[in-house]
Amino acid sequence: MASKSKVPATPASSNGSYEQLHIERPKTPTTRSRIDEKNALISLNNRLAAILERKSQLEDENSLLSKELVTERENTIQTLSLLQKTYDNELEEVRKLLQESDKDRARLDLNQEKLNKELNDTSNRLDKKAKECKKFADKLAQAEDEIGNLFTGLQKANTDRDKLANDKRVNTYYPILPKKVKKT
């Protein structure tokens, strides 16, 4: 398989490495075919090496991206957990406020009912007092009329008394003559 013959090595430099000399023989079709195959295999080998290197790079990149994805998922989960806790706390506070508000509303409704009942009772008492006041006003008006009538009667009686007293004085000086009664 050796197409090149080997010649004894000679020192090429002072460091001790040897260079090999090659003598070229004329190329036969088989040799050329083998050289082409060898070059094709080298090319395929280089392509395979590049593919494997790219595969390795992609795997490394994939691993890095997987780690970043896991980190992002963990961050997202932590953020969501924190948000959920925050919203749960806020929701609980809102529920408590709503319950307190419902209690306050119920208490206010009861107070309103009580006040409405008191208002109705007070209105009823006021109506009764207004009726009583009207009755007393009517009685007062009647009493005032009666007092007016009595006062008028008193004045008339005083006038009559004064007249009688005057007449009596006059009659003391002048006797009253009996009145003649008419016969019918």
Side-chain angles (χ1 to χ4, degrees), residues 59-121:
E59 285 176 346
D60 290 343
E61 188 177 322
N62 192 17
S63 174
L64 181 65
L65 290 174
S66 294
K67 288 177 184 177
E68 287 179 10
L69 180 63
V70 167
T71 304
E72 283 299 317
R73 281 184 182 168
E74 289 173 355
N75 288 340
T76 304
I77 289 170
Q78 287 176 351
T79 304
L80 289 176
S81 295
L82 182 62
L83 284 174
Q84 184 176 4
K85 285 179 184 178
T86 303
Y87 288 143
D88 286 345
N89 290 338
E90 287 180 11
L91 184 62
E92 188 62 31
E93 288 176 16
V94 168
R95 284 181 181 156
K96 286 179 183 178
L97 287 173
L98 184 61
Q99 286 176 351
E100 288 176 16
S101 175
D102 287 345
K103 287 178 184 178
D104 288 344
R105 183 174 181 149
R107 189 175 65 248
L108 289 173
D109 286 345
L110 289 174
N111 286 342
Q112 183 180 5
E113 273 183 39
K114 183 180 176 182
L115 291 174
N116 284 340
K117 186 177 178 182
E118 285 181 23
L119 178 64
N120 288 337
D121 291 346

Side-chain angles (χ1 to χ4, degrees), residues 131-174:
K131 288 177 185 177
E132 286 179 15
C133 189
K134 188 174 185 315
K135 285 180 186 178
F136 287 134
D138 290 343
K139 285 183 181 180
L140 179 63
Q142 286 176 354
E144 286 176 347
D145 287 344
E146 212 173 300
I147 288 172
N149 290 340
L150 290 173
F151 187 70
T152 305
L154 178 64
Q155 285 179 341
K156 187 176 179 186
N158 283 338
T159 307
D160 287 347
R161 182 193 67 193
D162 290 342
K163 214 185 219 186
L164 284 175
N166 224 3
D167 283 346
K168 193 175 185 183
R169 261 186 272 142
V170 169
N171 285 339
T172 349
Y173 296 113
Y174 306 105

